[in-house]
Amino acid sequence: QSIVSFLTSYVPTEKRESREDYLTQMFAWILINVEGYVNAYARFLCDKNPDIKCPDDSEINPSISTQEILPVGRIDLLIRLNENISFICEHKVHSELSHNQIKKYMDNSHLLGSGDYYSVLVTYSTIQHTQPADVSLTWSDVCEFTEKIVGKYEHHEAFILQQFIGFLKENGMGKAEPIGVDALLGYWPAVNIEYKLNAIFTQL
């Protein structure tokens, strides 16, 4: 399925944040279509929690779906690595988790089928990590992870990942750059200009 069709295939509702759905659809398309990306992401998730045993690449037969429905809500992203291990992923940008949202999903995970299920929470900021999950990340972590592996890809797959990285950074979800010397040197002159402008407008 083309990325344009996939991005618009989610069902918008009044209670859902459209930016989160859009980002989830984009991420899911990349997991499906960029060869090896889902395997690398699975290892990345497992490395964050030593209790999760990541299967070998030969044991991974991934299935990716979005908006899986449970009686307690709609799952943003479901990553099935195989019949034994799956990740229930909740994605947030600027919205907050609903009451016991992660726990409710996990308590009902058996309705999705057999195997072990692990919760993954990905948010704009760590401040939004208000409920325990097996793996808690920010989108900047996902951005940094993608930056580390993009060099392994060539041609159109590298282009897709670079576009994803660019989208995250353009929307404030990349790793914050350290404050450089130039920024420090330019701060006080900029502040001085602000004072002068305020003085001018006060006299008008």
Side-chain angles (χ1 to χ4, degrees):
Q1 189 177 13
S2 73
I3 188 170
V4 176
S5 298
F6 197 84
L7 284 173
T8 57
S9 63
Y10 64 87
V11 180
T13 65
E14 292 182 1
K15 295 182 179 180
R16 292 178 65 85
E17 170 57 66
S18 61
R19 286 173 295 184
E20 292 168 1
D21 287 328
Y22 185 85
L23 179 54
T24 293
Q25 291 295 119
M26 182 190 304
F27 189 50
W29 191 91
I30 291 170
L31 289 167
I32 294 169
N33 291 280
V34 176
E35 185 177 357
Y37 186 81
V38 66
N39 298 48
Y41 187 61
R43 288 192 295 272
F44 174 67
L45 296 179
C46 293
D47 287 344
K48 298 294 182 180
N49 186 334
D51 293 331
I52 306 175
K53 186 180 184 302
C54 194
D56 296 331
D57 284 347
S58 61
E59 299 173 319
I60 295 178
N61 182 27
S63 173
I64 311 297
S65 60
T66 59
Q67 301 195 69
E68 289 279 347
I69 297 176
L70 288 175
V72 293
R74 195 187 298 260
I75 296 171
D76 288 334
L77 175 67
L78 179 63
I79 303 174
R80 296 186 189 275
L81 298 184
N82 52 39
E83 61 184 10
N84 298 317
I85 180 171
S86 302
F87 295 104
I88 293 176
C89 307
E90 177 62 25
H91 294 163
K92 295 294 183 187
V93 178
H94 296 305
S95 63
E96 301 297 330
L97 291 164
S98 61
H99 180 66
N100 282 338
Q101 185 173 358
I102 302 296
K103 184 178 185 301
K104 288 177 181 177
Y105 287 162
M106 299 311 294
D107 288 346
N108 287 268
S109 60
H110 63 281
L111 299 175
L112 298 169
S114 61
D116 294 326
Y117 290 85
Y118 298 95
S119 56
V120 178
L121 175 62
V122 187
T123 62
Y124 185 89
S125 167
T126 55
I127 295 174
Q128 295 161 284
H129 295 171
T130 56
Q131 297 175 24
D134 294 308
V135 179
S136 296
L137 305 170
T138 62
W139 285 110
S140 64
D141 294 325
V142 176
C143 182
E144 186 177 42
F145 152 75
T146 307
E147 286 183 300
K148 287 181 178 179
I149 68 168
V150 68
K152 300 178 181 178
Y153 291 89
E154 298 180 350
H155 309 304
H156 72 281
E157 290 185 326
F159 175 78
I160 290 168
L161 294 180
Q162 288 164 353
Q163 291 298 302
F164 179 55
I165 291 167
F167 176 85
L168 292 174
K169 289 185 173 181
E170 288 167 3
N171 288 275
M173 290 179 276
K175 280 293 182 183
E177 297 292 335
I179 298 174
V181 174
D182 291 342
L184 289 173
L185 292 175
Y187 174 76
W188 291 112
V191 171
N192 190 39
I193 290 174
E194 181 183 1
Y195 287 146
K196 289 180 179 179
L197 289 174
N198 286 336
I200 292 172
F201 285 115
T202 300
Q203 294 173 11
L204 292 177

